[in-house]
Amino acid sequence: MMYPSMRRMAAVGAAVLLTGSGALLAAAPAGAQDSQAGAPAAPAAVAPKGKVVSRLPLSIREQPKSASTFLGALKPGTVVELSCKKHGQNIAGNDLWYLLASKPGYVAARYVENLSPVPLCHK
């Protein structure tokens, strides 16, 4: 059984909650819900990543083939952002190469463990 003082406290608490929510609604900008009502927020685009798993520094090449111009190297264990994957020279049974997102060049997928799905290049 609820006593009269408990009922009064419950009623006062409900009134405070309702008043507080009205204040929050009044503070919202007038057009805040007009154009995007019900539309989900777009997730931030995150580049796929891969980890270099070679024992030696992994060569970065201008094209997806080992005879292409050398552009630099990545140390073993380095986590890199990948743009996309492309078919190229077969390296130890794997003909995929990853285009790096942060710098120009390709690395052989044979020596990169992809940490998230990598899309095919459109070119």
Side-chain angles (χ1 to χ4, degrees):
M1 177 174 182
M2 196 178 249
Y3 296 102
S5 62
M6 290 175 72
R7 263 192 234 147
R8 189 175 309 133
M9 285 175 51
V12 169
V16 169
L17 285 174
L18 290 174
T19 302
S21 65
L24 289 175
L25 289 175
Q33 297 177 354
D34 292 342
S35 63
Q36 295 181 357
V46 177
K49 293 183 181 178
K51 181 179 179 181
V52 177
V53 294
S54 61
R55 286 187 234 167
L56 300 172
L58 179 61
S59 296
I60 302 170
R61 300 292 180 171
E62 186 176 30
Q63 296 296 321
K65 55 186 175 182
S66 62
S68 181
T69 304
F70 176 81
L71 301 177
L74 298 170
K75 293 180 182 178
T78 302
V79 174
V80 293
E81 289 187 347
L82 307 171
S83 179
C84 57
K85 61 186 172 187
K86 183 175 185 176
H87 293 280
Q89 179 186 359
N90 188 315
I91 304 293
N94 188 339
D95 74 340
L96 290 176
W97 289 68
Y98 293 128
L99 178 63
L100 300 174
S102 59
K103 58 176 85 177
Y106 291 87
V107 292
R110 168 66 179 90
Y111 300 108
V112 178
E113 175 187 358
N114 59 332
L115 303 176
S116 52
V118 181
L120 282 172
C121 297
H122 294 292
K123 296 179 185 181

